[in-house]
Amino acid sequence: MRRLRTDILILGSGGAGLFAALHAQAANPSLSITIAVKGLLGKCGCTRMVQGGYNVALAAGDSVERHFMDTIEGGKWLPDQDLAWTLVTGAIERVHELENEIGCFFDRNPDGTIHQKAFAGQTFDRTVHKGDLTGIEIINRLAEQVWARGIARLEEHRALEFILTADGSAIAGVLLVDMHDGEYVLVEAQAVLLATGGGPTMYRFHTPSGDKSCDGMAMALAAGLPLRDMEMVQFHPTGLLAGAHTRMTGTVLEEGLRGAGGYLLDGNGERFMQKYDPRGERATRDIVSRAIYAEMRAGRTTPNGGVWLSMAHLGADNVRRQFKGMVERCADCGFDLAGGRVEVVPTAHYMMGGVEFAAGCTTALTGLFVAGEDSGGVHGANRLGGNGVANSTVFGGIAGDAMAAWVAREGSFRVSDARAVEAAIARADRPFHSGEASDLEAIRERLHTTMWDDAGIVRDAASLAHAARFLDALAQQLHGYALPTAARTRAFNLTWHDWLNLTNLVAVSRAIVRAAVARENSRGAHFRADFPEPGELSASAFIRVRDRGGALGVESVPVRFTRVRPGASLLAS
């Protein structure tokens, strides 16, 4: 095992991680800062995959109060209101920083102002974008700035576990594995930022790449940290349905298509969204996803079992101009998005839940900070499209500033618990030494089926109980898994990393199911067929999940209405 030491260790290189690194260095250039990433910096992560854009109240007629109310009402009154306020106010500063300091180019109006397009669930067209390739623009520019500043990076290094002090009161470092040679690496740090992103790839249809496996949330659970809103898994309504033969199935066709006037059609070619919501195709993601799922269950489907997305009525040339990236992506799969229609299906997209944190991105564990999709509380029961990348960049910057200040004020290198390091290595090393060989692909298929059928868009007590039993069985099967003898080399051992991915996905899936069982009402992304009503909004509570000695405990925690109560508004009537 190698040992490294750095003042600040950042796990993840999406919008949150890169912004944190830049802000921490700007606050204190003498700090040693290291970014550890499972893939290659600038080439992996969910921020890079963002197509739609960045919500921010810039235009005349819009306001932070309006953005805030859209966020709270879209989140069904479950967001932490102070965090949501930080999001909508901080987004203004951050989008100007992206343009003027980071160097991002966003689309503009003829008068030179930033162009903002329509996204569902919002009362104002406030989504800033770079065509439909916004994430690539943001990550490319952020990565250039990180490279230019010489910030250290550990690429293709996978985080395995937080290593605490002997008394468990603080974080001392993180155990990683170098994917190049399989060597374990203990990185000791004064402050650690958890920003690995989410990645709900435990569902049959999902948008993130296969290497995304909720690693950070699994690490947080294992460390005993409280997680909130884990039942709130967002399904994007329009994932490309290209058939079982391609990984392109599940890829997002962004919300701007429906915002621009795209139609959803059932298998008979009829529009159906007005049956479910007066806003039609521009309803929030949870409503549109459930409507599509209802059409699928009723059998009114396309050849591959989804529904149609149609843009042709808006003019093929116009669609090609506005949505160049998606038109080309669909063409690669043999579909004509601009002039024809494309099959789509709801696809698991985003985890609203995550580690509980305070406004300064601090957590219950001394020295550990969190930002981005690993954190919970900003979005509540439903994330508005365009609020995700805003969340990552706003709180990433805050985390960088906060860590630099914290290290200067009270940071120190703490002694790691040697027994904890040995135990963590033993857990990660298990499949090299014992167990029975089994088919990881079969385990993945069972996980996909279980989560999609029993803990997906629509749930009830029976389906969740079924999911819990299956997940327990899968956890046991993975615990006893042994690598095939021919696959016991450590260098780029993808089978080993597949096992680690699945182990984390099952752990987080159990938290999702446990929280979903506890919530006996329907809010946002969480819909219980046996409890279809939302419950009393004024008595809203979020579900907290925590691992207590191997068993998941839950509690219901009242939401604090610090700025506005249900039935009221910050907007003048």
Side-chain angles (χ1 to χ4, degrees):
M1 182 183 72
R2 285 188 289 134
R3 287 179 179 263
L4 301 174
R5 179 170 278 200
T6 183
D7 292 321
I8 293 175
L9 174 63
I10 295 170
L11 303 178
S13 66
L18 297 185
F19 248 110
L22 293 173
H23 270 242
Q25 190 189 61
N28 185 350
S30 67
L31 289 173
S32 59
I33 302 168
T34 302
I35 299 172
V37 55
K38 197 174 177 181
L40 300 175
L41 193 147
K43 297 295 185 183
C44 64
C46 290
T47 306
R48 184 176 178 83
M49 299 171 72
V50 169
Q51 299 172 32
Y54 190 114
N55 288 344
V56 55
L58 292 177
D62 199 7
S63 66
V64 292
E65 291 82 6
R66 192 169 180 175
H67 187 184
F68 175 81
M69 290 307 303
D70 286 348
T71 299
I72 297 301
E73 291 173 347
K76 307 304 179 187
W77 294 92
L78 290 185
D80 179 301
Q81 294 191 1
D82 291 339
L83 295 178
W85 185 256
T86 299
L87 171 72
V88 301
T89 54
I92 298 173
E93 175 186 348
R94 199 68 80 238
V95 82
H96 290 311
E97 184 178 352
L98 282 165
E99 275 212 307
N100 301 325
E101 297 182 35
I102 304 301
C104 291
F105 286 91
F106 298 121
D107 288 1
R108 308 193 87 84
N109 297 310
D111 66 358
T113 57
I114 293 178
H115 182 263
Q116 295 178 273
K117 63 183 176 182
F119 255 36
Q122 302 192 72
T123 61
F124 198 92
D125 298 351
R126 65 169 63 93
T127 306
V128 172
H129 63 106
K130 171 70 170 176
D132 59 353
L133 300 170
T134 310
I136 290 175
E137 176 69 11
I138 290 173
I139 288 297
N140 282 354
R141 303 291 83 78
L142 284 171
E144 288 169 357
Q145 295 296 329
V146 167
W147 292 326
R149 285 160 173 73
I151 293 170
R153 59 189 188 270
L154 295 171
E155 295 179 303
E156 293 178 323
H157 278 66
R158 178 192 191 115
L160 296 171
E161 290 193 30
F162 297 127
I163 302 301
L164 310 186
T165 55
D167 64 1
S169 65
I171 190 167
V174 180
L175 181 69
L176 301 97
V177 61
D178 183 342
M179 297 169 74
H180 295 89
D181 55 16
E183 184 179 22
Y184 293 106
V185 182
L186 178 62
V187 181
E188 298 171 321
Q190 298 190 60
V192 175
L193 176 65
L194 179 60
T196 64
T201 57
M202 65 280 286
Y203 290 91
R204 180 183 302 157
F205 303 111
H206 54 262
T207 66
S209 58
D211 66 318
K212 300 297 291 182
S213 48
C214 297
D215 298 338
M217 294 184 193
M219 291 168 62
L221 272 173
L225 286 162
L227 277 63
R228 61 172 287 173
D229 301 327
M230 290 302 292
E231 73 275 25
M232 302 300 178
V233 181
Q234 182 167 77
F235 285 79
H236 195 292
T238 51
L240 178 64
L241 187 53
H245 60 284
T246 172
R247 179 59 190 89
M248 290 300 290
T249 284
T251 301
V252 162
L253 298 180
E254 62 118 320
E255 200 158 275
L257 294 168
R258 289 181 289 118
Y263 292 160
L264 290 172
L265 311 175
D266 64 20
N268 300 318
E270 302 293 329
R271 289 182 72 187
F272 58 85
M273 272 308 304
Q274 290 292 336
K275 295 188 301 184
Y276 298 96
D277 192 281
R279 293 170 293 182
E281 284 85 356
R282 287 187 65 172
T284 52
R285 290 177 172 181
D286 55 317
I287 293 171
V288 181
S289 292
R290 282 197 299 277
I292 295 173
Y293 191 67
E295 294 295 305
M296 292 167 62
R297 294 181 75 173
R300 294 184 289 269
T301 60
T302 57
N304 282 310
V307 300
W308 297 111
L309 174 65
S310 177
M311 302 294 293
H313 60 283
L314 299 175
D317 289 342
N318 176 49
V319 175
R320 290 190 191 97
R321 178 180 56 81
Q322 287 193 68
F323 304 105
K324 179 177 181 289
M326 278 180 293
V327 168
E328 292 176 351
R329 191 173 301 116
C330 288
D332 288 342
C333 296
F335 302 113
D336 182 7
L337 175 64
R341 46 189 192 176
V342 176
E343 289 182 81
V344 294
V345 66
T347 179
H349 183 51
Y350 191 92
M351 303 285 292
M352 270 81 75
V355 179
E356 288 187 49
F357 74 113
C361 296
T362 55
T363 71
L365 184 61
T366 299
L368 179 66
F369 297 73
V370 66
E373 197 176 346
D374 278 323
S375 66
V378 178
H379 307 295
N382 192 40
R383 177 179 68 85
L384 297 180
N387 270 5
V389 68
N391 174 29
S392 294
T393 56
V394 166
F395 286 101
I398 290 171
D401 293 334
M403 287 189 295
W406 185 84
V407 167
R409 186 175 64 250
E410 56 187 293
S412 64
F413 287 100
R414 294 166 291 277
V415 177
S416 58
D417 183 350
R419 290 175 300 177
V421 175
E422 293 173 2
I425 290 174
R427 282 188 286 272
D429 231 31
R430 187 185 303 118
F432 285 98
H433 305 295
S434 62
E436 299 179 3
S438 56
D439 185 351
L440 289 181
E441 192 57 36
I443 293 175
R444 187 193 325 280
E445 287 300 316
R446 285 196 290 276
L447 176 62
H448 284 170
T449 299
T450 297
M451 293 302 289
W452 175 263
D453 290 345
D454 295 329
I457 296 170
V458 177
R459 308 142 175 196
D460 61 31
S463 72
L464 291 169
H466 185 262
R469 289 193 298 272
F470 259 78
L471 291 171
D472 287 346
L474 292 180
Q476 285 298 113
Q477 196 171 357
L478 288 166
H479 183 81
Y481 173 76
L483 287 162
T485 304
R488 294 197 174 185
T489 57
R490 293 180 175 273
F492 283 113
N493 188 327
L494 298 185
T495 305
W496 180 27
H497 288 281
D498 224 11
W499 174 78
L500 291 166
N501 288 342
L502 283 167
T503 298
N504 287 341
L505 284 171
V506 169
V508 175
S509 295
R510 295 171 87 179
I512 291 169
V513 169
R514 188 71 183 87
V517 169
R519 178 170 292 284
E520 294 184 337
N521 58 41
S522 292
R523 295 281 185 98
H526 169 78
F527 187 83
R528 288 278 299 260
D530 48 351
F531 295 99
E533 298 302 318
E536 182 59 49
L537 293 180
S538 62
S540 295
F542 67 84
I543 303 299
R544 174 183 289 154
V545 180
R546 181 179 255 160
D547 189 311
R548 298 187 182 279
L552 290 177
V554 299
E555 59 182 311
S556 180
V557 182
V559 173
R560 296 168 55 246
F561 301 120
T562 56
R563 294 181 180 270
V564 61
R565 297 189 65 81
S569 175
L570 295 187
L571 303 177
S573 57

